[in-house]
Amino acid sequence: MEHRTIGIVGGMGPQAGVTLHEAIVRHTSAITDQEHLSVILMTFPRAIQDRTKFLCGLTKENPADEIIKIIEKLNRAGAEVIGIPCNTSHSPKIFNLIKEEIIKHNPDINLLYLPSEVLTYIHRHHPETNRIGIMMTNGTYQSQIYSNLLHNCGFEVVLPDFEFQNEIIHRLIYDHQIGIKSNPIYITTEAISLWNCALDYFRKKNVDTILLACTELSLIYWPGSIKDMNVIDSIEILAKALIREATVLPPRDQEVDLGITL
Amino acid sequence: MEHRTIGIVGGMGPQAGVTLHEAIVRHTSAITDQEHLSVILMTFPRAIQDRTKFLCGLTKENPADEIIKIIEKLNRAGAEVIGIPCNTSHSPKIFNLIKEEIIKHNPDINLLYLPSEVLTYIHRHHPETNRIGIMMTNGTYQSQIYSNLLHNCGFEVVLPDFEFQNEIIHRLIYDHQIGIKSNPIYITTEAISLWNCALDYFRKKNVDTILLACTELSLIYWPGSIKDMNVIDSIEILAKALIREATVLPPRDQEVDLGITL
């Protein structure tokens, strides 16, 4: 089967990019090596400024500049369908700049917008969803990207106050000693305690669904481990969306309505 | 810390490449995203002919040609230290062609030779090793690359006859229904039975060490699960060797003896 090469902007953090690639392999139906999709993963973590630091005003360096360079590099190496496994990068102050540059200089690149994919997924696969709790970085929290999007689509959105967000959820992701970013493979027991504390918060607020709106959270979540709430994992959604876009091939010389709506 | 970009020739199979990248992240001491190494993983499984098919004479198409193209592509994207997470590709009929082309056209590329790395690792970290059983594909079995190398270095090498090799070990890796290549994430119970059968074979032959000389086998092996024999995992060794080469930087304008010997 003909397909387009998938490009992954890795490094935010590195393990999230690897987990996305692993999810693409896992969701591809293949018996031999040769039946798998072509994927390029570029993990360039050093040059990309921390997204939350930028969104919280702790640095003026917009990570968009380096992300654009990596997307262009992926495209030069043959990638046509590109995903960014970092929800915080999809905040308007970062993503709008990326999108603008790509449209201007590389309009043929199919750059996926993760929040739309998440929304489509919830509508299609969990139509019963009503009340959603969101777990995310402080950067995504402050940008309000997911809360506005979901609220405007009629969902009840449940967010903790900033103290809980900062002390429990952001710390779970970012703490230098115990957080997931510093221990992406061997999750610490302290991180598991923070994770359970956050789950309990949303449970008490009677949410029916929890959205893991930070790709690092996919590293602590074990599918099937939470029975009383639906858990929406953004890395899994991005993997499936990349596979869909890489394998649905319109003729290249004309515009075709694929019937895919966001 | 300055470092060189690591390139991974993925796709043989795709999950082995992902597991190598994961091992690089795991073996890197880092607290923030920005402290991780730069890695490019190119998973292009479709174009690369099956290595064992070629070595067993079932196709004349040498996978070396496509592997060379991917190495050159990795290098153009910035990778300087390159590893191939596929032991079978290191058989002379494939690897010699790759090495020749790289030396001729891209002599600056540092292409690691996995069998040497494995040998160095055993010498340094398991000097007590004496009697080694090797688990591998039929291609590596027939090329005798590991058996000759270890035998010539004074180890007692234990191999099953070809019937056992083909029916148990090769089948464990390649079987279209139950093998690891067809089920790299959710290992089948039948594959686990073949794996245990192979381990028992070597156990009865009184080996002190088992070498997993096929990167697919890293996907079924759970570190610490085997107590009575040492298990040497080639993906782990390749990850550590790539990190070493990416972080030991000689001045670029002169030759320097790094004191690293194979």
Side-chain angles (χ1 to χ4, degrees):
Chain A
M1 183 185 57
E2 201 199 342
H3 75 283
R4 292 193 173 136
T5 298
I6 292 169
I8 302 173
V9 184
M12 300 180 283
Q15 186 55 36
V18 172
T19 301
L20 174 61
H21 194 329
E22 184 270 326
I24 291 168
V25 173
R26 178 159 34 85
H27 288 297
T28 303
S29 175
I31 286 172
T32 64
D33 291 353
Q34 289 72 22
E35 290 169 84
H36 279 273
L37 301 175
S38 298
V39 180
I40 307 172
L41 164 57
M42 291 194 176
T43 303
F44 294 148
R46 306 211 159 198
I48 310 175
Q49 183 54 261
D50 187 86
R51 286 67 60 198
T52 288
K53 267 192 185 165
F54 170 70
L55 292 170
C56 295
L58 300 172
T59 173
K60 287 188 176 173
E61 192 187 327
N62 193 329
D65 299 332
E66 285 299 325
I67 294 172
I68 291 163
K69 283 185 200 164
I70 297 169
I71 291 172
E72 289 171 346
K73 205 168 206 173
L74 282 165
N75 187 238
R76 280 198 299 277
E80 296 175 278
V81 180
I82 290 176
I84 307 174
C86 167
N87 285 277
T88 317
S89 297
H90 292 78
S91 300
K93 279 185 187 170
I94 302 173
F95 196 82
N96 288 356
L97 213 66
I98 298 170
K99 192 74 194 168
E100 209 171 89
E101 276 294 302
I102 298 303
I103 288 171
K104 203 163 151 190
H105 299 293
N106 298 82
D108 289 339
I109 292 176
N110 181 356
L111 174 64
L112 300 197
Y113 180 57
L114 183 50
S116 299
E117 298 294 342
V118 168
L119 191 61
T120 308
Y121 181 87
I122 295 172
H123 270 296
R124 287 203 186 155
H125 298 279
H126 295 284
E128 74 288 2
T129 303
N130 178 37
R131 201 166 152 81
I132 305 183
I134 312 175
M135 289 175 70
M136 53 195 158
T137 62
N138 282 355
T140 309
Y141 183 95
Q142 295 206 358
S143 79
Q144 300 184 318
I145 173 69
Y146 276 105
S147 42
N148 284 347
L149 187 71
L150 292 169
H151 176 76
N152 292 341
C153 291
F155 295 100
E156 287 178 34
V157 175
V158 175
L159 297 182
D161 61 28
F162 186 71
E163 193 184 342
F164 187 94
Q165 161 64 29
N166 188 50
E167 292 299 317
I168 305 296
I169 303 179
H170 188 76
R171 200 171 143 230
L172 160 64
I173 301 164
Y174 265 90
D175 188 276
H176 282 185
Q177 265 75 47
I178 63 148
I180 303 173
K181 271 197 186 295
S182 305
N183 309 275
I185 315 268
Y186 304 113
I187 301 293
T188 64
T189 49
E190 292 90 341
I192 292 170
S193 295
L194 292 176
W195 164 252
N196 285 328
C197 179
L199 291 177
D200 278 343
Y201 171 85
F202 290 112
R203 195 172 273 128
K204 280 177 191 153
K205 294 281 182 186
N206 295 315
V207 308
D208 51 60
T209 300
I210 288 190
L211 169 60
L212 306 183
C214 168
T215 48
E216 246 77 33
L217 296 171
S218 305
L219 312 179
I220 196 171
Y221 169 58
W222 193 256
S225 59
I226 298 168
K227 307 284 185 196
D228 56 340
M229 298 177 282
N230 283 329
V231 179
I232 308 290
D233 181 344
S234 56
I235 279 198
E236 290 291 303
I237 294 170
L238 186 53
K240 288 175 187 171
L242 287 165
I243 293 171
R244 179 196 70 217
E245 291 298 310
T247 50
V248 176
L249 291 179
R252 281 167 199 249
D253 54 350
Q254 60 187 93
E255 284 296 316
V256 170
D257 179 3
L258 293 174
I260 293 172
T261 54
L262 291 175
Chain B
M1 182 186 57
E2 201 199 340
H3 76 282
R4 292 191 174 140
T5 298
I6 292 170
I8 302 174
V9 183
M12 300 180 283
Q15 186 54 36
V18 172
T19 302
L20 174 62
H21 194 330
E22 183 272 325
I24 291 168
V25 173
R26 178 160 34 87
H27 289 297
T28 303
S29 176
I31 286 172
T32 63
D33 291 351
Q34 289 72 21
E35 290 169 83
H36 280 272
L37 301 176
S38 298
V39 180
I40 307 172
L41 164 57
M42 289 194 178
T43 302
F44 294 148
R46 306 212 158 198
I48 310 175
Q49 183 53 263
D50 188 86
R51 288 64 64 198
T52 288
K53 266 192 187 165
F54 171 70
L55 293 170
C56 294
L58 300 173
T59 172
K60 288 188 173 170
E61 192 188 325
N62 193 330
D65 299 332
E66 285 299 325
I67 294 172
I68 292 163
K69 284 185 200 163
I70 296 169
I71 292 172
E72 289 171 345
K73 203 166 206 174
L74 282 166
N75 187 239
R76 280 198 299 277
E80 294 176 280
V81 180
I82 290 175
I84 308 175
C86 167
N87 285 277
T88 317
S89 297
H90 292 78
S91 300
K93 279 186 187 170
I94 302 173
F95 196 81
N96 288 356
L97 212 67
I98 299 170
K99 191 76 193 167
E100 209 171 90
E101 276 294 303
I102 298 303
I103 288 171
K104 204 162 150 191
H105 298 294
N106 297 83
D108 289 340
I109 292 177
N110 182 357
L111 175 64
L112 301 198
Y113 180 58
L114 183 50
S116 301
E117 298 294 341
V118 168
L119 190 62
T120 308
Y121 181 88
I122 294 172
H123 270 297
R124 287 201 186 154
H125 298 280
H126 295 283
E128 74 288 0
T129 304
N130 179 36
R131 199 167 154 81
I132 305 183
I134 311 175
M135 288 175 71
M136 52 196 157
T137 62
N138 282 355
T140 310
Y141 183 94
Q142 295 206 358
S143 79
Q144 301 185 318
I145 173 71
Y146 276 105
S147 42
N148 284 346
L149 186 73
L150 293 169
H151 176 76
N152 293 340
C153 290
F155 295 99
E156 289 177 33
V157 175
V158 175
L159 297 182
D161 60 27
F162 186 71
E163 193 185 342
F164 188 95
Q165 161 63 31
N166 188 50
E167 292 298 318
I168 306 296
I169 304 177
H170 188 76
R171 200 171 142 229
L172 160 65
I173 301 163
Y174 265 90
D175 187 276
H176 282 184
Q177 264 74 50
I178 63 148
I180 304 173
K181 271 196 186 293
S182 305
N183 309 276
I185 316 270
Y186 304 113
I187 301 292
T188 64
T189 50
E190 292 90 342
I192 292 169
S193 295
L194 292 176
W195 164 252
N196 285 328
C197 179
L199 291 176
D200 279 343
Y201 170 87
F202 290 113
R203 196 171 272 127
K204 280 179 191 151
K205 295 281 182 186
N206 295 314
V207 307
D208 51 58
T209 300
I210 288 189
L211 169 59
L212 306 183
C214 169
T215 47
E216 245 79 33
L217 296 171
S218 305
L219 312 179
I220 196 171
Y221 170 59
W222 193 256
S225 58
I226 297 169
K227 307 284 184 196
D228 55 341
M229 299 177 281
N230 283 328
V231 179
I232 309 290
D233 181 343
S234 55
I235 279 198
E236 291 292 303
I237 294 170
L238 186 53
K240 289 175 185 170
L242 286 166
I243 293 171
R244 178 196 72 217
E245 292 297 310
T247 51
V248 176
L249 291 179
R252 283 169 197 248
D253 55 349
Q254 61 186 91
E255 284 296 316
V256 170
D257 178 4
L258 293 175
I260 293 173
T261 54
L262 292 175

